[in-house]
């Protein structure tokens, strides 16, 4: 959740605050068979095989004030922050005092989205990515409603496919936000913890399978969480997750969700995305 310091306007960065997952329940789910591939027809994809970002599929946010949540970065469309390189989309956070519209901030980074270029109601979304470690580095793969039919955040919902706090690089979070306009909103979700290593070591496939009244979260094809209960003010279930949503990818720096970088945080830090595939 992003709240402007000067107004009540709200933008978002997949903010979530979760209780620790029940490890025994999680292990039981992880031992289960992979979730059914209900959706098998590829309807949208980007393999990032060209020399630059495909602007028919993505837009790049330029934002001199970051993303809210007391985050420290400035979002730019510079090659230093967003580019296609060696078959991957690279979103790079830097400590380089970049400036946009006369505003300079200590850190810069990138955020891309598919709004009005890729918008879906139900389906399976797969994102194969390697995400950066480091205190104060916040990577996110998430979705927002294309049309806020039920009201402002979070009445119209938010789906966080994956978030990772860089100081906890072996844990990722999957979360839903819903309920009502802020501050009457709520959220629910769970976490996935690697038994060894970190998500910064190698690529993993982060997925949701989104059906009417049910959303599953998967890591490398294994389901670790299912949600079937949510709500929104003024509409019946399965609202708000019965409308078209679009995808966002970004790396934030600092903020009240995870704290600021420190002397141990090395820059630049990269999220590398091998592909995005959407099936219906």
């Amino acid at each position: 959740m992003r709240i402007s310091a000067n107004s009540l306007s709200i933008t978002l960065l997949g903010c979530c605050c979760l209780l620790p997952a029940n490890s025994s329940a999680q292990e039981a789910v992880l031992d289960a068979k992979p979730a059914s591939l209900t959706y098998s027809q590829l309807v949208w994809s980007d393999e990032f095989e060209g020399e630059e970002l495909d602007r028919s599929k993505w837009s790049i946010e330029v934002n001199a004030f970051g993303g809210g949540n007391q985050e420290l970065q400035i979002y730019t469309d510079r090659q230093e922050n967003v580019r296609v390189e060696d078959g991957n989309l690279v979103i790079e956070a830097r400590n380089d005092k970049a400036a946009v519209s006369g505003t300079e901030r200590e850190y810069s980074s990138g955020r891309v989205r598919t709004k009005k270029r890729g918008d879906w109601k139900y389906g399976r979304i797969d994102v194969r990515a390697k995400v950066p470690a480091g205190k104060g580095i916040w990577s996110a793969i998430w979705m927002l409603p294309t049309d806020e039919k039920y009201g402002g955040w979070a009445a119209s919902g938010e789906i966080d496919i994956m978030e990772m706090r860089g100081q906890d690089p072996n844990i990722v979070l999957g979360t839903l936000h819903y309920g009502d306009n802020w501050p009457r909103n709520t959220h629910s979700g769970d976490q996935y913890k690697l038994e060894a290593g970190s998500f910064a070591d190698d690529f993993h496939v982060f997925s949701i399978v989104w059906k009417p009244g049910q959303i599953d979260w998967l890591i490398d094809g294994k389901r670790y969480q299912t949600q079937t209960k949510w709500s929104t003010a003024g509409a019946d279930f399965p609202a708000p997750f019965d409308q078209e949503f679009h995808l966002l990818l970004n790396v934030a720096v600092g903020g009240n969700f995870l704290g600021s970088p420190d002397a141990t945080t090395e820059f630049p830090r990269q999220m590398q995305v091998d592909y995005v595939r959407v099936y219906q």
Side-chain angles (χ1 to χ4, degrees):
M1 175 183 63
R2 300 184 172 199
I3 308 168
S4 169
N6 299 316
S7 70
L8 293 180
S9 64
I10 298 175
T11 55
L12 302 157
L13 180 59
C15 173
C16 60
C17 304
L18 301 176
L19 296 175
N22 183 301
S23 60
S24 60
Q26 184 182 34
E27 288 170 2
V29 172
L30 293 175
D31 290 337
K33 294 180 180 179
S36 172
L37 303 182
T38 304
Y39 303 103
S40 59
Q41 181 179 353
L42 184 66
V43 298
W44 193 98
S45 67
D46 199 337
E47 307 291 327
F48 304 109
E49 295 177 341
E51 295 183 356
E52 59 185 25
L53 190 67
D54 186 344
R55 295 301 187 100
S56 72
K57 297 179 177 180
W58 303 94
S59 61
I60 304 176
E61 179 174 345
V62 177
N63 186 334
F65 299 100
N69 298 304
Q70 304 300 313
E71 295 158 35
L72 304 176
Q73 80 284 340
I74 194 169
Y75 282 129
T76 88
D77 59 358
R78 304 179 307 159
Q79 287 286 312
E80 292 93 330
N81 297 120
V82 180
R83 61 185 179 273
V84 173
E85 184 176 85
D86 299 327
N88 296 316
L89 167 65
V90 176
I91 298 177
E92 184 169 293
R94 303 173 63 89
N95 183 0
D96 60 357
K97 293 182 170 58
V100 171
S101 302
T103 298
E104 180 182 287
R105 306 194 81 185
E106 182 174 359
Y107 303 98
S108 66
S109 192
R111 182 159 96 173
V112 300
R113 66 180 185 176
T114 66
K115 187 175 184 179
K116 302 299 185 181
R117 295 164 170 83
D119 309 271
W120 312 281
K121 175 183 173 180
Y122 307 132
R124 176 185 173 113
I125 294 93
D126 292 346
V127 180
R128 186 173 187 264
K130 182 165 66 171
V131 291
K135 188 178 186 304
I137 303 298
W138 179 5
S139 303
I141 300 170
W142 53 301
M143 303 183 77
L144 285 176
T146 299
D147 300 303
E148 294 185 325
K149 178 177 179 179
Y150 303 115
W153 193 85
S156 291
E158 175 183 330
I159 304 170
D160 297 333
I161 300 174
M162 185 284 301
E163 292 181 289
M164 191 183 85
R165 290 174 281 210
Q167 57 261 46
D168 300 314
N170 63 334
I171 298 172
V172 295
L173 309 172
T175 311
L176 294 180
H177 297 265
Y178 52 88
D180 204 341
N181 293 341
W182 181 87
R184 298 181 300 276
N185 56 291
T186 188
H187 65 270
S188 54
D190 208 340
Q191 67 179 30
Y192 179 96
K193 184 175 183 179
L194 288 174
E195 294 182 0
S198 84
F199 286 99
D201 296 335
D202 204 351
F203 286 84
H204 293 271
V205 181
F206 304 99
S207 308
I208 59 167
V209 177
W210 172 23
K211 309 172 189 176
Q214 178 175 321
I215 303 177
D216 299 319
W217 280 256
L218 303 88
I219 302 288
D220 298 325
K222 293 290 185 69
R223 181 175 53 216
Y224 75 93
Q225 175 189 185
T226 296
Q227 293 201 48
T228 58
K229 295 181 180 180
W230 55 75
S231 64
T232 193
D236 295 332
F237 182 85
F241 302 111
D242 61 350
Q243 302 296 314
E244 286 192 342
F245 278 61
H246 60 276
L247 186 68
L248 301 95
L249 310 172
N250 68 279
V251 179
V253 180
N256 53 25
F257 179 58
L258 74 169
S260 298
D262 62 15
T264 68
T265 309
E266 298 180 0
F267 286 92
R269 298 280 85 189
Q270 294 182 353
M271 174 194 286
Q272 300 176 53
V273 183
D274 179 31
Y275 62 72
V276 178
R277 297 172 183 168
V278 180
Y279 300 86
Q280 287 186 324

